[in-house]
Amino acid sequence: MSLTTQAAPLLNRLIASSVAIANQAGKIIRDVMKKGELGIVEKEHANDLQTEADRAAQQCIIGSLAKQFPKIKIIGEEEDEPERESCGWTLDVNNLPSVAMSCPPHLLALKEEEVVVWVDPLDGTSEYTQAFQCWFSGHQGVCKQLGLECQSLLDHVTVLIGIATGGKAIGGIIHQPYYNYKNPGGELGRTIWGVVDGGLGGLVVAKPPKEKMIVTTTRSHSSSTVNDAIAAVKPDEVLRVGGAGHKVMLLLEGLAHAYVFASPGCKKWDTCAPQAVLEAAGGIMTDIKGEQIPYHANVPHRNSTGVLATAIADEHSKISQMIPQHVKDNLKA
Ligand code: AMP
Ligand code: MG
Ligand code: MG
C-alpha cells in the first residue's frame, strides 16, 4: 500500500514522514555548526541553552509535520506556541523512506485529532555547544579541560520525534546527525525508528553483557539525588553522557543496562521518542518510582519524578526497588 494515499494507516505515514523530517533536521544542525555561528541563548539557567540549530531544526520539524498532518497536536521544546511556517524545505510525500513496520491492529483507525507529537529538535544542546567551543578554541580537536576529542561530544546529539496517543508513547524517531563521524568521507547520520508492537529499524539491537551492570546517566545535570540513586543500584560502571536520546541509544546497542536519572530536569520531549523506540526493542521506561510517564497534550512538560529505563524489561523492577526511598520522596509530581 502506498504511503501517499490516505488509505495507508496514519501511524505508518507519520513514522515515514518523521524519518525524512528528522534527517532534514539533522542536516540543519550540521549546517549551523559548519557556519560557526551558534546564536546561543540561555533559557531557564546558564546550563539550559538554546542555539540557532535548536530553533531552525524545530521550525523545520513542526512546519513540515503540521503541513502534512494539520490536526495533530505538536508540542516542541523551544516555544510555547510552535512556529508553523515553512522552513524552506518541503517534505516529498511521493518519495517517503520505506519503513517496514506493521501498524498495531488497535491503531489502524487512529485519527490525527487523537495524536500528540513531542519534538526535541536537538537533544544534547550542552554537548553540542561544548563541542563547538572546543573545536574553535585552538585545541586541535581535543578538549584540554575534558580530556576528550571535541567531536566525540557530537555523538551525544540527537533529534527526537515522539508520537503519543491516549497518553502513551507509541512511536518514535531518534536521529543521530553525527553518527559515523570517525569515518572521514563516509555518510554522516543515521535514523532509528520504533513502533511499540510494530517494529524497529535503523539499527540492530544488542543485549547488554550478563557479567556486569552498566548504568548511564547525565554528564551535565548531576545532583546529590542523581548520584545517590546511581550509588544505590551498585553499578560496575557508570557512563556519564549527554542527552536522553543518546542514553537510550546506549541501551539499544547493549552498551548499558539502565538509564537512571533521579532529577526533575528531563521533559516529555526528551523521553517520548526514546521510550517508544526502547519499548519497541523490548526495553521499558518509567519514572524513577516505576510509574508510567504520561504523554497527554495537557500534562506538565517536566518529568518531575525522574527517569528509569532498562534495556531488558524484566530487569526494571529489580533496579526500581533499589532506588532509595528518600530519593523517590524527594521527587514530587
Ligand atoms: P542530560 O542527561 O543532562 O543530557 O539531560 C537530558 C535532557 O534533559 C536534555 O534535554 C537536558 O537539557 C534536559 N535536562 C536534564 N536536566 C536538566 C536541568 N537540570 N535543566 C534543564 N534541562 C535539563
Ligand atoms: Mg533534550
Ligand atoms: Mg533540546
Side-chain angles (χ1 to χ4, degrees):
M1 187 190 303
S2 165
L3 285 175
T4 56
T5 69
Q6 294 296 318
L10 171 63
L11 188 56
N12 296 51
R13 290 184 285 122
L14 197 44
I15 291 281
S17 302
S18 300
V19 167
I21 293 168
N23 288 341
Q24 178 63 19
K27 184 175 177 308
I28 291 170
I29 290 169
R30 289 192 299 265
D31 285 349
V32 170
M33 178 68 82
K34 265 194 240 154
K35 256 195 335 203
E37 193 59 61
L38 290 203
I40 298 172
V41 173
E42 269 181 32
K43 296 200 288 185
E44 286 180 17
H45 50 78
N47 196 14
D48 188 16
L49 304 176
Q50 184 199 67
T51 72
E52 177 55 24
D54 300 70
R55 294 186 286 275
Q58 170 155 312
Q59 183 169 344
C60 180
I61 296 168
I62 294 186
S64 307
L65 280 175
K67 188 170 168 204
Q68 213 197 329
F69 306 101
K71 293 186 193 142
I72 282 178
K73 171 79 180 169
I74 307 171
I75 304 173
E77 172 172 10
E78 304 308 341
E79 280 161 25
D80 289 341
E81 276 305 312
E83 180 67 70
R84 285 180 174 248
E85 286 165 17
S86 137
C87 58
W89 169 84
T90 308
L91 175 68
D92 182 356
V93 291
N94 294 316
N95 197 17
L96 292 177
S98 75
V99 170
M101 62 170 273
S102 60
C103 184
H106 69 285
L107 295 173
L108 282 169
L110 185 68
K111 297 199 230 17
E112 287 190 23
E113 295 87 326
E114 297 165 339
V115 173
V116 183
V117 175
W118 295 90
V119 175
D120 188 341
L122 196 172
D123 185 43
T125 301
S126 299
E127 286 70 26
Y128 182 73
T129 55
Q130 283 175 32
F132 174 83
Q133 282 149 5
C134 173
W135 196 250
F136 289 95
S137 59
H139 295 165
Q140 295 176 327
V142 176
C143 179
K144 282 188 185 153
Q145 202 186 341
L146 300 170
L148 282 173
E149 209 186 311
C150 303
Q151 270 188 297
S152 69
L153 289 168
L154 292 173
D155 240 3
H156 303 210
V157 171
T158 58
V159 176
L160 304 174
I161 304 177
I163 301 163
T165 191
K168 294 204 169 82
I170 56 165
I173 313 304
I174 305 176
H175 171 73
Q176 297 177 292
Y178 292 98
Y179 176 75
N180 205 26
Y181 76 92
K182 286 184 183 157
N183 175 16
E187 199 185 333
L188 274 181
R190 70 169 167 177
T191 306
I192 292 94
W193 60 267
V195 174
V196 182
D197 298 326
L200 179 137
L203 96 163
V204 178
V205 174
K207 292 292 167 210
K210 290 209 170 89
E211 65 283 0
K212 57 178 175 177
M213 224 275 273
I214 307 166
V215 164
T216 183
T217 193
T218 185
R219 67 178 278 277
S220 55
H221 298 103
S222 274
S223 67
S224 57
T225 41
V226 166
N227 292 331
D228 285 356
I230 303 273
V233 304
K234 299 188 170 54
D236 297 293
E237 225 177 290
V238 181
L239 302 177
R240 293 186 183 273
V241 302
H246 180 49
K247 283 186 265 296
V248 165
M249 286 303 306
L250 296 183
L251 300 185
L252 295 168
E253 292 183 303
L255 299 172
H257 297 73
Y259 169 11
V260 181
F261 188 54
S263 157
C266 260
K267 319 290 186 318
K268 301 290 181 294
W269 44 74
D270 292 306
T271 51
C272 185
Q275 176 168 349
V277 177
L278 180 66
E279 296 190 353
I284 187 166
M285 179 186 285
T286 66
D287 73 3
I288 207 80
K289 306 178 191 208
E291 304 287 337
Q292 290 280 340
I293 301 174
Y295 292 102
H296 303 95
N298 56 358
V299 292
H301 294 165
R302 191 175 285 278
N303 288 324
S304 36
T305 46
V307 178
L308 176 60
T310 56
I312 299 169
D314 286 349
E315 293 183 355
H316 186 276
S317 71
K318 186 175 147 230
I319 295 180
S320 176
Q321 282 162 25
M322 293 169 90
I323 305 288
Q325 196 57 44
H326 79 270
V327 169
K328 292 179 178 165
D329 292 345
N330 205 21
L331 294 172
K332 300 223 163 49

